[in-house]
Amino acid sequence: MLKHGGGLRAAARQYGIALEDWVDLSTGLNPHGWPVPAIEASSWQRLPELDDGLEQAASDFYAAPQPLAVAGSQAAIQTLPRLRPPCRVGMLTLTYAEHPYAWQKQGHHVLRLAPEDIDAALPQVDVLQLCTPNNPTGWLPEPAQLREWHARLRQRDGWLVLDETFLDVTPERSLLPLAGQPGLIILRSIGKFFGLAGARAGFVFAWPALIEALQDELGPWTLAGPARQAVRMALQDRAWQAAMRQRLPAESDRLATLLRRHGLAPGGSTPLFQWVCHPQAAMLHRQLASQGILTRLFDAPPSLRFGLPAQESDWARLDQALASFTLVKS
């Protein structure tokens, strides 16, 4: 199993700090998650029903053709590599680790690229997989550039696979207006923007033949009934969505300002996290954890991803903890 954010119970055991005393900044989730109401008992007692309005709600929210609902984008990440014979797959050097792992596991050759090398390397790959924005660096190419790469790949039956997990705050940067065109696969997740990671819900947008092949591979009931009900209601809550699109960028800017004040200038960001490269990132990660603050550590390059604190007391704890690390910053 690859390392991910979260794992709060393990951190509590390791550092001897009670679970309720932690500030978890490790996942990049919206800390003000959509408030799930009581779920109808029937959702627990019947098999999931595909005519419950979820796919239509997703189509309306994303302004795109009806997608395939899946158990989080992770389900699609693991399954898509099975739908092509072994080929050459380009992706960023530092990105969400499940992507290269899944493609390599199915026998594909993964070519790791810096953002500035993608254009020149495109003729060498059959699939270009990108997180847009990238996790954890926050790099986000212009939609026009993505459209050009898609057109070039499509000419030779290649794929452009976009993981837009962190893009819900800025939907205008999405390639969803092209959803359904051959060669373009877009993954979306409910976990980050809506803060509903436990629902394990996401969507795949692609051309009909690919959706059918993916559905056949995944089998029936890809998403549990209670999750379908909660996600449908969240997708329909336009007032909450509008409020979050105002709130989250402001809080991300506040986090960047706090980090800079302590000599930790971010090297990349999204509205849901800030990414800081530092040669002593591992030490800073451990010292923050010793005070009950969990961050996401990356080894190469040494760096930390900071999610948004949930409440004012969490902001204060992070500020105070960082103030004590003058040795780390020297």
Side-chain angles (χ1 to χ4, degrees), residues 9-19 21-22 289-290:
R9 293 182 185 277
R13 291 192 297 270
Q14 179 179 352
Y15 290 92
I17 300 173
L19 193 63
D21 293 334
W22 282 83
S290 71

Side-chain angles (χ1 to χ4, degrees), residues 4-6 23-33 133 135-136 165-169 189-197 248 252 255 270-275 294-296 298 304-309:
H4 296 279
V23 175
D24 186 4
L25 309 180
S26 68
T27 61
L29 302 178
N30 180 354
H32 320 293
N135 175 20
T165 294
F166 283 99
L167 202 58
D168 283 320
V169 182
S189 172
I190 296 299
K192 302 301 184 181
F193 174 67
F194 289 95
L196 299 179
L248 295 174
S252 185
L255 178 58
T270 73
L272 285 165
F273 65 78
Q274 296 287 332
W275 179 63
L294 189 61
T295 56
R296 175 68 168 95
F298 297 89
L304 293 177
R305 189 184 67 197
F306 292 80
L308 303 178

Side-chain angles (χ1 to χ4, degrees), residues 5 7 53 57 84 106 164 232 248 330:
R84 286 190 73 106
Q106 294 300 320
E164 295 186 346
R232 174 177 54 79
L248 295 174
S330 63

